[in-house]
Amino acid sequence: MTRTVILSGLVILGLGTMGLAQTPGAPPDLPEAELQELLDRQAEMSEAEKPAEEDFLSLDLSPDVDVSSVERVPSAAQNQPNRTCEKTPEMRSNVRSPGGPGKRAYRDIAVYLSTINVISTQDCTCAGKIIPHERVARFEDRLRRELDVDVLTPDHTRGLYEAYERQIKIVDAMCGEY
């Protein structure tokens, strides 16, 4: 049953992707033989398997964070989504060439520090969300020294990114869209 649920989810994802690629009025592409087999299996799903598939497809894999006691802060009225904020030159460079050594770790550190700053200062504006390069670099240097490595990898900063994912829910509750 698990395999059927996963395969059904993949079929739905594939069909959704195919639907996005089609232009209005264009006839849909015929699925390959394997895809047709999966579609046939999905049509034969039992009544017990259908709710299981629905549950699987609606899973929220993000970390649970209780934000019920988080209140909007006064600066929420001036909230600026992070994506609209002017990035530091170092962050712009980092985002343009995301695959270089240490680049992902730098971004993990920057977003972690950003959410920490918004929560502690209750500043929902770009000033609260954009962390100066010097502060990110100091944190990065300290982490490299503590781990005794020359270049940080995503494995080194995974915990920071996971903390960011939890904290962003708090920021969203405080400010609106991060």
Side-chain angles (χ1 to χ4, degrees):
M1 182 173 123
T2 302
R3 190 167 81 179
T4 302
V5 170
I6 291 172
L7 290 175
S8 298
L10 291 173
V11 168
I12 291 170
L13 178 64
L15 290 175
T17 304
M18 287 172 39
L20 290 174
Q22 295 176 5
T23 57
D29 293 334
L30 295 176
E32 309 240 352
E34 295 168 4
L35 184 57
Q36 187 60 51
E37 181 182 335
L38 292 173
L39 288 171
D40 292 342
R41 279 193 211 156
Q42 185 181 20
E44 297 169 3
M45 236 187 294
S46 73
E47 291 304 312
E49 289 174 318
K50 288 178 183 177
E53 180 180 20
E54 297 284 329
D55 290 344
F56 174 77
L57 294 175
S58 66
L59 281 177
D60 180 10
L61 300 176
S62 60
D64 290 335
V65 177
D66 180 16
V67 294
S68 60
S69 63
V70 177
E71 295 181 14
R72 286 257 189 226
V73 296
S75 70
Q78 292 88 36
N79 183 44
Q80 296 169 287
N82 189 51
R83 63 182 160 67
T84 66
C85 297
E86 181 68 27
K87 308 295 185 256
T88 64
E90 295 81 8
M91 183 56 91
R92 279 196 310 270
S93 167
N94 190 304
V95 170
R96 273 192 279 256
S97 58
K103 300 262 182 171
R104 169 62 192 269
Y106 183 92
R107 288 191 304 276
D108 289 350
I109 292 168
V111 295
Y112 167 76
L113 292 175
S114 174
T115 54
I116 289 284
N117 194 59
V118 171
I119 292 168
S120 64
T121 64
Q122 298 186 354
D123 184 354
C124 299
T125 67
C126 288
K129 293 178 181 177
I130 300 300
I131 303 300
H133 167 70
E134 295 75 25
R135 191 167 154 203
V136 176
R138 277 195 313 270
F139 191 100
E140 187 178 28
D141 289 342
R142 191 180 86 218
L143 191 55
R144 271 198 306 268
R145 280 193 309 275
E146 287 176 7
L147 297 173
D148 194 28
V149 295
D150 292 329
V151 177
L152 293 172
T153 67
D155 287 339
H156 297 126
T157 58
R158 180 170 288 119
L160 295 175
Y161 190 79
E162 289 168 356
Y164 154 77
E165 287 181 319
R166 288 186 303 275
Q167 292 164 181
I168 199 160
K169 292 180 180 192
I170 297 168
V171 171
D172 286 345
M174 287 174 56
C175 300
E177 180 185 355
Y178 172 76

